[in-house]
Amino acid sequence: MHKIGVLTSGGDAPGMNAAIRAIVRNGIYNKVKIVGIGRGYTGLLSEEINEMAISSVGDIIHRGGTLLKTSRCERFRTDEGIQDAVNILKKHSIDGLVVIGGDGSYQGAYKLGLAGINVMGIPGTIDNDLAYTDYTIGFDTAVNTVLNSISNIRDTSMSHEKVTIIEVMGRCCGDIALYAGLAGGAESILVPEEKYEVAKICEKLMQGKRRGKTHNIIILAEGRESANDLQKEILEHAGIESRITVLGYLQRGGTPTAVDRILASKMGARAVDLLLAGKNNRAIGIKDNHLIDVDIMDALAQKKVFDREMYNLSQILSM
Ligand code: ADP
Ligand code: F6P
């Protein structure tokens, strides 16, 4: 193993830079060349490949986003795209490739692995939607970003005695809504994994009003329905007006938390160690606070189990 490539792919996530930094520095420590591939699979296919030095990753551990840039690349979904990538990796004598991204990026990495490339997957996505690992890089930072927003919105919601719907990201996974909602004391947490009736939401709003609650915060995961639709449903059902805040891309930025920086640093260094040990096609994760690595296909095959215990607790505590 003489040269390892690293790229970031799909939605960016705070902490990706800490992972890149760990890969570069642990690689150089082990006398391996590290090359950065710009703009994910798009950049791989256009050979945006540059050697990285210790100084290349100076002063980035605290920065959100990704130094290497990222992309979504339709061509990489084709057999020709995969074959072109394999040829380019071989042309540049890249022995191993670390892909930092979500489940889609892992799908691409898996296909490179099938074609004989030594790949390692590092879970970089705010969604926390990869079942094989307890946490993905960026999730903790996104939860804290939402938590800060809940706190700000609570102030004005209370002052005007309003109901506020906060729509959060997560694509099809409700973890950001669930974790931030529980931590933020939201009155209702609506996630793709749990059906609900608008009538019950409205009843809870009216119960709260009756006992003197001056505001209500509803956290809505984007994969469930849009905040606009929910706002209309609540108004039609109970004549209750509500305000909407869609946090959107705020959740993808910001300085990574200590949790994400440490997780990313450990995972990045481990990816290099595993490649040097002759391992390939592994997805690195964390389980019960210990680093693990599993076959990428097994990682992708695992289905996320919704934390119903945590969801039920959030319902009890927000009575
Ligand atoms: P994420 O990795 O954050 O889940 P995406 O789902 O958009 O983001 O995937 C990122 C990129 O991974 C896609 O733009 C595409 O280039 C590649 N990709 C996704 N799914 C596949 C697939 N089934 N086969 C090959 N490449 C894929
Ligand atoms: O996968 C991360 C994510 O932020 C999702 O939570 C969100 O739905 C999606 O990316 C947004 O995709 P895009 O960046 O292409 O708008």
mmCIF file of all heavy atoms in Angstrom, residues 62-98:
data_model
loop_
_atom_site.group_PDB
_atom_site.id
_atom_site.type_symbol
_atom_site.label_atom_id
_atom_site.label_comp_id
_atom_site.label_asym_id
_atom_site.label_seq_id
_atom_site.Cartn_x
_atom_site.Cartn_y
_atom_site.Cartn_z
ATOM 1 N N HIS A 62 -11.530 22.440 12.772
ATOM 2 C CA HIS A 62 -12.674 23.152 13.358
ATOM 3 C C HIS A 62 -13.651 23.666 12.298
ATOM 4 O O HIS A 62 -14.647 24.307 12.630
ATOM 5 C CB HIS A 62 -12.151 24.348 14.150
ATOM 6 C CG HIS A 62 -11.402 25.323 13.306
ATOM 7 N ND1 HIS A 62 -10.181 25.020 12.726
ATOM 8 C CD2 HIS A 62 -11.698 26.577 12.878
ATOM 9 C CE1 HIS A 62 -9.756 26.050 12.016
ATOM 10 N NE2 HIS A 62 -10.656 27.002 12.076
ATOM 11 N N ARG A 63 -13.322 23.377 11.016
ATOM 12 C CA ARG A 63 -14.163 23.960 9.950
ATOM 13 C C ARG A 63 -15.168 22.962 9.396
ATOM 14 O O ARG A 63 -14.824 21.799 9.127
ATOM 15 C CB ARG A 63 -13.260 24.492 8.819
ATOM 16 C CG ARG A 63 -12.439 25.719 9.285
ATOM 17 C CD ARG A 63 -11.412 26.130 8.273
ATOM 18 N NE ARG A 63 -12.032 26.391 6.957
ATOM 19 C CZ ARG A 63 -11.301 26.578 5.846
ATOM 20 N NH1 ARG A 63 -9.987 26.497 5.894
ATOM 21 N NH2 ARG A 63 -11.902 26.821 4.702
ATOM 22 N N GLY A 64 -16.406 23.444 9.238
ATOM 23 C CA GLY A 64 -17.437 22.603 8.625
ATOM 24 C C GLY A 64 -17.149 22.433 7.148
ATOM 25 O O GLY A 64 -16.140 22.911 6.630
ATOM 26 N N GLY A 65 -18.029 21.736 6.477
ATOM 27 C CA GLY A 65 -17.847 21.519 5.044
ATOM 28 C C GLY A 65 -16.713 20.540 4.785
ATOM 29 O O GLY A 65 -16.283 19.806 5.669
ATOM 30 N N THR A 66 -16.213 20.523 3.545
ATOM 31 C CA THR A 66 -15.131 19.613 3.186
ATOM 32 C C THR A 66 -14.124 20.327 2.305
ATOM 33 O O THR A 66 -14.472 20.877 1.256
ATOM 34 C CB THR A 66 -15.632 18.333 2.472
ATOM 35 O OG1 THR A 66 -14.536 17.724 1.778
ATOM 36 C CG2 THR A 66 -16.751 18.599 1.471
ATOM 37 N N LEU A 67 -12.875 20.291 2.750
ATOM 38 C CA LEU A 67 -11.746 20.897 2.023
ATOM 39 C C LEU A 67 -11.686 20.370 0.591
ATOM 40 O O LEU A 67 -11.322 21.083 -0.341
ATOM 41 C CB LEU A 67 -10.453 20.515 2.758
ATOM 42 C CG LEU A 67 -9.103 20.827 2.107
ATOM 43 C CD1 LEU A 67 -8.809 22.308 2.246
ATOM 44 C CD2 LEU A 67 -8.002 19.998 2.777
ATOM 45 N N LEU A 68 -12.072 19.100 0.412
ATOM 46 C CA LEU A 68 -11.965 18.462 -0.910
ATOM 47 C C LEU A 68 -13.180 18.761 -1.787
ATOM 48 O O LEU A 68 -13.241 18.326 -2.933
ATOM 49 C CB LEU A 68 -11.810 16.941 -0.740
ATOM 50 C CG LEU A 68 -10.510 16.470 -0.076
ATOM 51 C CD1 LEU A 68 -10.536 14.965 0.138
ATOM 52 C CD2 LEU A 68 -9.293 16.868 -0.921
ATOM 53 N N LYS A 69 -14.178 19.462 -1.233
ATOM 54 C CA LYS A 69 -15.449 19.664 -1.946
ATOM 55 C C LYS A 69 -16.131 18.310 -2.156
ATOM 56 O O LYS A 69 -15.506 17.243 -2.022
ATOM 57 C CB LYS A 69 -15.227 20.362 -3.298
ATOM 58 C CG LYS A 69 -14.415 21.664 -3.224
ATOM 59 C CD LYS A 69 -15.295 22.872 -2.942
ATOM 60 C CE LYS A 69 -14.515 24.167 -2.997
ATOM 61 N NZ LYS A 69 -13.505 24.294 -1.888
ATOM 62 N N THR A 70 -17.382 18.338 -2.494
ATOM 63 C CA THR A 70 -18.141 17.106 -2.690
ATOM 64 C C THR A 70 -19.073 17.292 -3.881
ATOM 65 O O THR A 70 -19.148 18.371 -4.460
ATOM 66 C CB THR A 70 -18.943 16.726 -1.426
ATOM 67 O OG1 THR A 70 -19.618 15.482 -1.648
ATOM 68 C CG2 THR A 70 -19.975 17.796 -1.080
ATOM 69 N N SER A 71 -19.765 16.205 -4.240
ATOM 70 C CA SER A 71 -20.693 16.313 -5.380
ATOM 71 C C SER A 71 -21.657 15.143 -5.353
ATOM 72 O O SER A 71 -21.502 14.188 -4.583
ATOM 73 C CB SER A 71 -19.910 16.264 -6.711
ATOM 74 O OG SER A 71 -19.430 14.925 -6.919
ATOM 75 N N ARG A 72 -22.645 15.240 -6.199
ATOM 76 C CA ARG A 72 -23.495 14.091 -6.518
ATOM 77 C C ARG A 72 -23.273 13.846 -8.008
ATOM 78 O O ARG A 72 -23.273 14.781 -8.793
ATOM 79 C CB ARG A 72 -24.957 14.406 -6.188
ATOM 80 C CG ARG A 72 -25.147 14.742 -4.688
ATOM 81 C CD ARG A 72 -26.596 14.922 -4.324
ATOM 82 N NE ARG A 72 -26.799 15.578 -3.033
ATOM 83 C CZ ARG A 72 -26.816 14.964 -1.859
ATOM 84 N NH1 ARG A 72 -26.592 13.657 -1.812
ATOM 85 N NH2 ARG A 72 -27.026 15.629 -0.729
ATOM 86 N N CYS A 73 -22.985 12.601 -8.382
ATOM 87 C CA CYS A 73 -22.506 12.320 -9.739
ATOM 88 C C CYS A 73 -23.323 11.207 -10.389
ATOM 89 O O CYS A 73 -23.198 10.036 -10.026
ATOM 90 C CB CYS A 73 -21.025 11.914 -9.658
ATOM 91 S SG CYS A 73 -20.313 11.403 -11.215
ATOM 92 N N GLU A 74 -24.191 11.580 -11.327
ATOM 93 C CA GLU A 74 -25.078 10.591 -11.971
ATOM 94 C C GLU A 74 -24.267 9.586 -12.800
ATOM 95 O O GLU A 74 -24.599 8.403 -12.858
ATOM 96 C CB GLU A 74 -26.120 11.311 -12.837
ATOM 97 C CG GLU A 74 -27.207 11.983 -11.996
ATOM 98 C CD GLU A 74 -27.735 11.074 -10.889
ATOM 99 O OE1 GLU A 74 -28.198 9.951 -11.210
ATOM 100 O OE2 GLU A 74 -27.643 11.440 -9.689
ATOM 101 N N ARG A 75 -23.186 10.043 -13.423
ATOM 102 C CA ARG A 75 -22.401 9.144 -14.302
ATOM 103 C C ARG A 75 -21.819 7.964 -13.514
ATOM 104 O O ARG A 75 -21.657 6.870 -14.042
ATOM 105 C CB ARG A 75 -21.282 9.947 -14.980
ATOM 106 C CG ARG A 75 -20.347 9.133 -15.827
ATOM 107 C CD ARG A 75 -19.588 9.934 -16.876
ATOM 108 N NE ARG A 75 -18.445 9.188 -17.398
ATOM 109 C CZ ARG A 75 -18.539 8.079 -18.153
ATOM 110 N NH1 ARG A 75 -19.737 7.603 -18.473
ATOM 111 N NH2 ARG A 75 -17.468 7.441 -18.579
ATOM 112 N N PHE A 76 -21.588 8.242 -12.214
ATOM 113 C CA PHE A 76 -20.984 7.177 -11.396
ATOM 114 C C PHE A 76 -21.966 6.043 -11.139
ATOM 115 O O PHE A 76 -21.588 4.955 -10.700
ATOM 116 C CB PHE A 76 -20.466 7.763 -10.076
ATOM 117 C CG PHE A 76 -19.331 6.994 -9.488
ATOM 118 C CD1 PHE A 76 -18.056 7.094 -10.035
ATOM 119 C CD2 PHE A 76 -19.537 6.153 -8.407
ATOM 120 C CE1 PHE A 76 -17.002 6.371 -9.496
ATOM 121 C CE2 PHE A 76 -18.488 5.432 -7.870
ATOM 122 C CZ PHE A 76 -17.230 5.537 -8.414
ATOM 123 N N ARG A 77 -23.238 6.287 -11.425
ATOM 124 C CA ARG A 77 -24.249 5.230 -11.253
ATOM 125 C C ARG A 77 -24.253 4.257 -12.428
ATOM 126 O O ARG A 77 -24.969 3.269 -12.424
ATOM 127 C CB ARG A 77 -25.642 5.852 -11.108
ATOM 128 C CG ARG A 77 -25.836 6.686 -9.853
ATOM 129 C CD ARG A 77 -27.177 7.402 -9.877
ATOM 130 N NE ARG A 77 -27.360 8.281 -8.743
ATOM 131 C CZ ARG A 77 -27.867 7.912 -7.549
ATOM 132 N NH1 ARG A 77 -28.189 6.660 -7.364
ATOM 133 N NH2 ARG A 77 -28.004 8.763 -6.561
ATOM 134 N N THR A 78 -23.418 4.590 -13.454
ATOM 135 C CA THR A 78 -23.387 3.722 -14.649
ATOM 136 C C THR A 78 -22.169 2.794 -14.602
ATOM 137 O O THR A 78 -21.149 3.131 -13.980
ATOM 138 C CB THR A 78 -23.280 4.588 -15.933
ATOM 139 O OG1 THR A 78 -21.989 5.242 -15.929
ATOM 140 C CG2 THR A 78 -24.380 5.645 -15.957
ATOM 141 N N ASP A 79 -22.272 1.664 -15.271
ATOM 142 C CA ASP A 79 -21.136 0.722 -15.326
ATOM 143 C C ASP A 79 -19.926 1.382 -15.961
ATOM 144 O O ASP A 79 -18.782 1.178 -15.537
ATOM 145 C CB ASP A 79 -21.534 -0.535 -16.112
ATOM 146 C CG ASP A 79 -22.617 -1.351 -15.386
ATOM 147 O OD1 ASP A 79 -22.794 -1.084 -14.163
ATOM 148 O OD2 ASP A 79 -23.268 -2.193 -16.019
ATOM 149 N N GLU A 80 -20.200 2.205 -16.986
ATOM 150 C CA GLU A 80 -19.079 2.884 -17.665
ATOM 151 C C GLU A 80 -18.370 3.834 -16.690
ATOM 152 O O GLU A 80 -17.140 3.904 -16.655
ATOM 153 C CB GLU A 80 -19.591 3.691 -18.875
ATOM 154 C CG GLU A 80 -20.215 2.863 -19.982
ATOM 155 C CD GLU A 80 -21.600 2.340 -19.596
ATOM 156 O OE1 GLU A 80 -22.223 2.905 -18.658
ATOM 157 O OE2 GLU A 80 -22.025 1.332 -20.206
ATOM 158 N N GLY A 81 -19.182 4.521 -15.887
ATOM 159 C CA GLY A 81 -18.591 5.447 -14.913
ATOM 160 C C GLY A 81 -17.705 4.724 -13.920
ATOM 161 O O GLY A 81 -16.588 5.168 -13.635
ATOM 162 N N ILE A 82 -18.189 3.601 -13.436
ATOM 163 C CA ILE A 82 -17.392 2.806 -12.489
ATOM 164 C C ILE A 82 -16.100 2.340 -13.151
ATOM 165 O O ILE A 82 -15.003 2.460 -12.589
ATOM 166 C CB ILE A 82 -18.201 1.588 -11.981
ATOM 167 C CG1 ILE A 82 -19.429 2.042 -11.185
ATOM 168 C CG2 ILE A 82 -17.325 0.648 -11.162
ATOM 169 C CD1 ILE A 82 -19.147 2.667 -9.844
ATOM 170 N N GLN A 83 -16.214 1.833 -14.382
ATOM 171 C CA GLN A 83 -15.013 1.325 -15.076
ATOM 172 C C GLN A 83 -14.009 2.447 -15.331
ATOM 173 O O GLN A 83 -12.801 2.272 -15.132
ATOM 174 C CB GLN A 83 -15.385 0.647 -16.398
ATOM 175 C CG GLN A 83 -14.237 -0.168 -17.009
ATOM 176 C CD GLN A 83 -13.592 -1.132 -16.011
ATOM 177 O OE1 GLN A 83 -14.267 -1.953 -15.389
ATOM 178 N NE2 GLN A 83 -12.267 -0.993 -15.789
ATOM 179 N N ASP A 84 -14.516 3.613 -15.722
ATOM 180 C CA ASP A 84 -13.612 4.761 -15.917
ATOM 181 C C ASP A 84 -12.879 5.089 -14.626
ATOM 182 O O ASP A 84 -11.677 5.359 -14.618
ATOM 183 C CB ASP A 84 -14.399 5.996 -16.384
ATOM 184 C CG ASP A 84 -14.855 5.876 -17.835
ATOM 185 O OD1 ASP A 84 -14.403 4.929 -18.520
ATOM 186 O OD2 ASP A 84 -15.696 6.711 -18.265
ATOM 187 N N ALA A 85 -13.607 5.032 -13.515
ATOM 188 C CA ALA A 85 -12.997 5.352 -12.214
ATOM 189 C C ALA A 85 -11.905 4.342 -11.869
ATOM 190 O O ALA A 85 -10.810 4.714 -11.424
ATOM 191 C CB ALA A 85 -14.068 5.374 -11.122
ATOM 192 N N VAL A 86 -12.203 3.074 -12.117
ATOM 193 C CA VAL A 86 -11.201 2.024 -11.836
ATOM 194 C C VAL A 86 -9.944 2.270 -12.666
ATOM 195 O O VAL A 86 -8.821 2.236 -12.153
ATOM 196 C CB VAL A 86 -11.797 0.631 -12.137
ATOM 197 C CG1 VAL A 86 -10.713 -0.453 -12.092
ATOM 198 C CG2 VAL A 86 -12.912 0.298 -11.149
ATOM 199 N N ASN A 87 -10.134 2.595 -13.935
ATOM 200 C CA ASN A 87 -8.979 2.841 -14.815
ATOM 201 C C ASN A 87 -8.154 4.038 -14.341
ATOM 202 O O ASN A 87 -6.921 4.005 -14.348
ATOM 203 C CB ASN A 87 -9.451 3.067 -16.257
ATOM 204 C CG ASN A 87 -10.135 1.832 -16.836
ATOM 205 O OD1 ASN A 87 -9.929 0.720 -16.348
ATOM 206 N ND2 ASN A 87 -10.980 2.032 -17.854
ATOM 207 N N ILE A 88 -8.859 5.077 -13.891
ATOM 208 C CA ILE A 88 -8.161 6.288 -13.414
ATOM 209 C C ILE A 88 -7.379 5.976 -12.129
ATOM 210 O O ILE A 88 -6.219 6.379 -11.975
ATOM 211 C CB ILE A 88 -9.166 7.434 -13.189
ATOM 212 C CG1 ILE A 88 -9.681 7.948 -14.535
ATOM 213 C CG2 ILE A 88 -8.562 8.568 -12.355
ATOM 214 C CD1 ILE A 88 -10.921 8.832 -14.438
ATOM 215 N N LEU A 89 -8.003 5.238 -11.216
ATOM 216 C CA LEU A 89 -7.310 4.892 -9.964
ATOM 217 C C LEU A 89 -6.047 4.090 -10.265
ATOM 218 O O LEU A 89 -4.980 4.320 -9.695
ATOM 219 C CB LEU A 89 -8.248 4.116 -9.042
ATOM 220 C CG LEU A 89 -9.401 4.938 -8.439
ATOM 221 C CD1 LEU A 89 -10.464 4.031 -7.839
ATOM 222 C CD2 LEU A 89 -8.878 5.923 -7.396
ATOM 223 N N LYS A 90 -6.159 3.160 -11.211
ATOM 224 C CA LYS A 90 -4.991 2.346 -11.565
ATOM 225 C C LYS A 90 -3.931 3.196 -12.276
ATOM 226 O O LYS A 90 -2.734 3.084 -11.992
ATOM 227 C CB LYS A 90 -5.409 1.168 -12.447
ATOM 228 C CG LYS A 90 -6.185 0.111 -11.656
ATOM 229 C CD LYS A 90 -6.619 -1.067 -12.478
ATOM 230 C CE LYS A 90 -7.276 -2.130 -11.562
ATOM 231 N NZ LYS A 90 -7.975 -3.183 -12.339
ATOM 232 N N LYS A 91 -4.403 4.095 -13.119
ATOM 233 C CA LYS A 91 -3.465 4.978 -13.861
ATOM 234 C C LYS A 91 -2.636 5.811 -12.877
ATOM 235 O O LYS A 91 -1.449 6.047 -13.093
ATOM 236 C CB LYS A 91 -4.277 5.894 -14.780
ATOM 237 C CG LYS A 91 -3.498 6.992 -15.477
ATOM 238 C CD LYS A 91 -4.454 7.868 -16.283
ATOM 239 C CE LYS A 91 -3.806 9.213 -16.664
ATOM 240 N NZ LYS A 91 -4.811 10.142 -17.281
ATOM 241 N N HIS A 92 -3.264 6.211 -11.784
ATOM 242 C CA HIS A 92 -2.561 7.036 -10.779
ATOM 243 C C HIS A 92 -1.918 6.193 -9.686
ATOM 244 O O HIS A 92 -1.469 6.726 -8.671
ATOM 245 C CB HIS A 92 -3.541 8.042 -10.171
ATOM 246 C CG HIS A 92 -3.932 9.154 -11.125
ATOM 247 N ND1 HIS A 92 -3.331 10.394 -11.138
ATOM 248 C CD2 HIS A 92 -4.864 9.192 -12.125
ATOM 249 C CE1 HIS A 92 -3.869 11.143 -12.087
ATOM 250 N NE2 HIS A 92 -4.808 10.432 -12.699
ATOM 251 N N SER A 93 -1.908 4.869 -9.892
ATOM 252 C CA SER A 93 -1.287 3.933 -8.915
ATOM 253 C C SER A 93 -1.836 4.133 -7.504
ATOM 254 O O SER A 93 -1.094 4.092 -6.512
ATOM 255 C CB SER A 93 0.244 4.131 -8.894
ATOM 256 O OG SER A 93 0.753 4.046 -10.193
ATOM 257 N N ILE A 94 -3.131 4.403 -7.434
ATOM 258 C CA ILE A 94 -3.795 4.555 -6.125
ATOM 259 C C ILE A 94 -4.202 3.162 -5.646
ATOM 260 O O ILE A 94 -5.046 2.504 -6.254
ATOM 261 C CB ILE A 94 -4.997 5.505 -6.235
ATOM 262 C CG1 ILE A 94 -4.514 6.929 -6.562
ATOM 263 C CG2 ILE A 94 -5.817 5.503 -4.933
ATOM 264 C CD1 ILE A 94 -5.623 7.921 -6.865
ATOM 265 N N ASP A 95 -3.562 2.704 -4.546
ATOM 266 C CA ASP A 95 -3.776 1.324 -4.067
ATOM 267 C C ASP A 95 -5.033 1.190 -3.210
ATOM 268 O O ASP A 95 -5.594 0.107 -3.080
ATOM 269 C CB ASP A 95 -2.595 0.888 -3.181
ATOM 270 C CG ASP A 95 -1.259 1.131 -3.857
ATOM 271 O OD1 ASP A 95 -1.052 0.537 -4.920
ATOM 272 O OD2 ASP A 95 -0.466 1.952 -3.335
ATOM 273 N N GLY A 96 -5.411 2.288 -2.576
ATOM 274 C CA GLY A 96 -6.565 2.227 -1.675
ATOM 275 C C GLY A 96 -7.340 3.521 -1.760
ATOM 276 O O GLY A 96 -6.772 4.570 -2.076
ATOM 277 N N LEU A 97 -8.645 3.458 -1.511
ATOM 278 C CA LEU A 97 -9.491 4.650 -1.604
ATOM 279 C C LEU A 97 -10.406 4.737 -0.386
ATOM 280 O O LEU A 97 -11.112 3.769 -0.060
ATOM 281 C CB LEU A 97 -10.353 4.598 -2.871
ATOM 282 C CG LEU A 97 -11.321 5.778 -3.072
ATOM 283 C CD1 LEU A 97 -10.538 7.081 -3.311
ATOM 284 C CD2 LEU A 97 -12.280 5.503 -4.216
ATOM 285 N N VAL A 98 -10.353 5.879 0.283
ATOM 286 C CA VAL A 98 -11.256 6.117 1.415
ATOM 287 C C VAL A 98 -12.371 7.037 0.946
ATOM 288 O O VAL A 98 -12.117 8.130 0.445
ATOM 289 C CB VAL A 98 -10.519 6.752 2.614
ATOM 290 C CG1 VAL A 98 -11.489 6.949 3.784
ATOM 291 C CG2 VAL A 98 -9.336 5.889 3.035
#
